[in-house]
Amino acid sequence: MTNQRPAMSAFSAADLELQERARRYVDEILLPLEEKAERAGGPLPADDVANIKRTALASGLAGGLHSPEHGGQGWNATQWLLVEEQFGRNTNGVSWYMPTAYNVWKSASPDLIDRWLRPALRGELHDAYAVTEAEAGSDPSGIATVAHRTDDGGYVINGEKWFVTYGSVAAVIIVMANVVVDGKKLPTLFAVPADADGVSTVDDPPFTHNYPHGHPTMRFADVKVSAADVIGEVGQGDDLQRMWFTEERIGIAARCVGAMQRLIAETTAWAIKREQGGARLIDHQGVSFPLADSAADAAAGLLMDFDSAALKYARADPKLIHGKASMAKLFCSEAANRCADRAVQIFGGRGYMRTNVAERFWRELRVDRIWEGTSEIQRLIVARSLERRGVDAMLT
């Protein structure tokens, strides 16, 4: 089924072809592997992983926002969201096997791009991002990891990072550390090889979802890197990370919309088919009204997120985009959780089975209210944006 938009004319034929290509890929390659991944506790066999990577590359769906000269697709923000929305329809993180890389590599040197980004977009390696710490979660200003300059012009990194997504499989880890110069802390991103001396995994805890890759706790003890391993410039870490957070919050919102779309489609089909008490489930208001509320949430979230993407595409005020992205993530992540809970209830006992899409989303969507900034942090950003950017700017 092809998505219908309230303003389909806003999308070009190429945009819609890309969206449909992503939908086919999700339907034909990813969705059939969800239950296998669930029953296996997350990881898939090597032949399935190889097929996911191969078909993603053949379909032109890997590395969407990265430049074609680096192996990406060069999509604009709207095209990226059309694809992310489709990926959001997939459970169990099966799409995590697709070739991808963090956006901060755009600011890396040509040598770092050749060494890490190009192979990542070919599916030959994975990167990880290490920012969160035991005492620095929603407030990254509390980061204690430091990088001291050495006599040869390099750096020595010391610190411990939590929730290092992809850390269990990464070949390179993007580490946020404070370069200490004359007592001042300059937030800086470093490309640290995962096999460098002093890099170790302290813990690899299980999480609520069954995803293929872990989020381990990693320690960096006297890890030596060179000046060439700095991504961007010394002291530029906060700016690069803010860019990533803004982009990823828009992406999370899009994936949450995709999840809602699938939940509503499968739950509605079940409610139409299933009979109880001499009537279809959907003929009972206790079932139809929650579906209606979910449909309204999904439609509103879609418009909100594409508004953020349109501003990004138009290169609007980055601070306004930041506020709008936070508003989209806040609404869509909260709405998707409501939608999943309603779907579990409508499916009844079947909704509590891990082979049911509603149960899997019920677990998986919970983290979207936490990572890349909790709902509480998003509310703070939105409130400050209302004050500083203005109510009209935020609501129009």
Side-chain angles (χ1 to χ4, degrees):
M1 181 180 71
T2 301
N3 281 350
Q4 295 299 311
R5 298 276 188 254
M8 292 295 285
S9 59
F11 301 102
S12 68
D15 293 341
L16 296 177
E17 186 280 327
L18 174 61
Q19 179 194 40
E20 185 57 29
R21 193 180 347 136
R23 173 177 284 273
R24 286 196 308 271
Y25 178 81
V26 171
D27 286 345
E28 296 171 7
I29 304 298
L30 303 185
L31 299 192
L33 294 171
E34 291 177 334
E35 188 172 333
K36 179 189 283 191
E38 182 63 39
R39 290 182 181 274
L44 286 168
D47 56 344
D48 288 327
V49 174
N51 186 54
I52 290 169
K53 291 181 179 181
R54 179 183 58 78
T55 51
L57 291 168
S59 299
L61 296 173
L65 285 176
H66 287 283
S67 168
E69 67 177 293
H70 297 151
Q73 306 299 328
W75 297 334
N76 62 44
T78 299
Q79 292 170 328
W80 177 62
L81 284 197
L82 287 170
V83 175
E84 288 296 299
E85 181 187 340
Q86 295 305 312
F87 291 163
R89 296 170 49 241
N90 169 227
T91 69
N92 293 86
V94 179
S95 64
W96 282 33
Y97 287 113
M98 297 175 62
T100 186
Y102 286 97
N103 71 355
V104 296
W105 291 112
K106 297 174 184 177
S107 299
S109 68
D111 286 343
L112 287 180
I113 286 173
D114 286 343
R115 183 179 180 185
W116 301 119
L117 178 58
R118 294 181 192 275
L121 295 181
R122 292 194 299 263
E124 297 168 4
L125 60 84
H126 219 302
D127 57 355
Y129 202 102
V131 54
T132 303
E133 299 181 3
E135 304 301 329
S138 294
D139 181 10
S141 67
I143 286 174
T145 299
V146 294
H148 290 283
R149 282 184 171 143
T150 57
D151 292 340
D152 61 2
Y155 298 86
V156 174
I157 299 174
N158 281 281
E160 184 175 287
K161 297 292 186 178
W162 286 41
F163 311 133
V164 182
T165 300
Y166 293 113
S168 59
V169 297
V172 60
I173 305 162
I174 300 166
V175 178
M176 172 67 90
N178 288 311
V179 173
V180 182
V181 178
D182 297 328
K184 294 182 179 180
K185 295 181 177 180
L186 304 177
T188 304
L189 294 179
F190 292 89
V192 179
D195 60 359
D197 290 341
V199 177
S200 62
T201 296
V202 177
D203 189 20
D204 195 1
F207 288 87
T208 301
H209 54 224
N210 277 339
Y211 273 18
H213 309 127
H215 315 268
T217 303
M218 303 190 74
R219 184 169 294 153
F220 302 84
D222 293 329
V223 177
K224 296 180 180 179
V225 295
S226 71
D229 291 313
V230 172
I231 298 176
E233 300 176 1
V234 172
Q236 196 181 13
D238 277 346
D239 290 338
L240 294 178
Q241 187 160 279
R242 191 176 299 110
M243 175 185 70
W244 167 55
F245 273 143
T246 298
E247 184 175 287
E248 182 57 15
R249 286 165 186 169
I250 295 173
I252 286 172
R255 294 190 290 274
C256 283
V257 169
M260 285 191 279
Q261 290 171 349
R262 185 175 174 201
L263 282 165
I264 294 166
E266 296 207 14
T267 309
T268 299
W270 167 253
I272 291 171
K273 178 179 69 174
R274 179 70 165 171
E275 290 190 6
Q276 290 284 282
R280 302 176 305 166
L281 280 182
I282 202 166
D283 294 326
H284 297 281
Q285 290 182 350
V287 171
S288 61
F289 281 15
L291 282 172
D293 288 340
S294 292
D297 279 343
L302 181 74
L303 293 175
M304 189 179 298
D305 204 32
F306 273 91
D307 178 49
S308 300
L311 288 172
K312 184 173 174 60
Y313 184 39
R315 300 182 184 277
D317 177 2
K319 293 182 179 179
L320 176 60
I321 299 172
H322 185 220
K324 291 263 194 174
S326 288
M327 190 161 61
K329 180 189 183 287
L330 170 65
F331 180 83
C332 292
S333 63
E334 299 268 341
N337 276 259
R338 293 193 297 269
C339 181
D341 188 72
R342 292 164 183 154
V344 168
Q345 195 69 19
I346 291 170
F347 274 108
R350 289 171 175 81
Y352 205 60
M353 298 166 61
R354 291 196 173 204
T355 52
N356 185 291
V357 66
E359 192 279 340
R360 295 196 300 275
F361 270 133
W362 183 62
R363 279 182 288 123
E364 293 178 12
L365 289 167
R366 186 61 181 84
V367 73
D368 287 321
R369 292 159 57 191
I370 298 174
W371 58 12
E372 272 64 90
T374 63
S375 288
E376 291 71 29
I377 290 296
Q378 307 314 314
R379 290 184 173 98
L380 285 173
I381 294 171
V382 171
R384 289 170 182 166
S385 295
L386 289 170
E387 176 186 3
R388 298 170 184 173
R389 311 275 83 77
V391 174
D392 287 348
M394 286 297 292
L395 301 186
T396 58

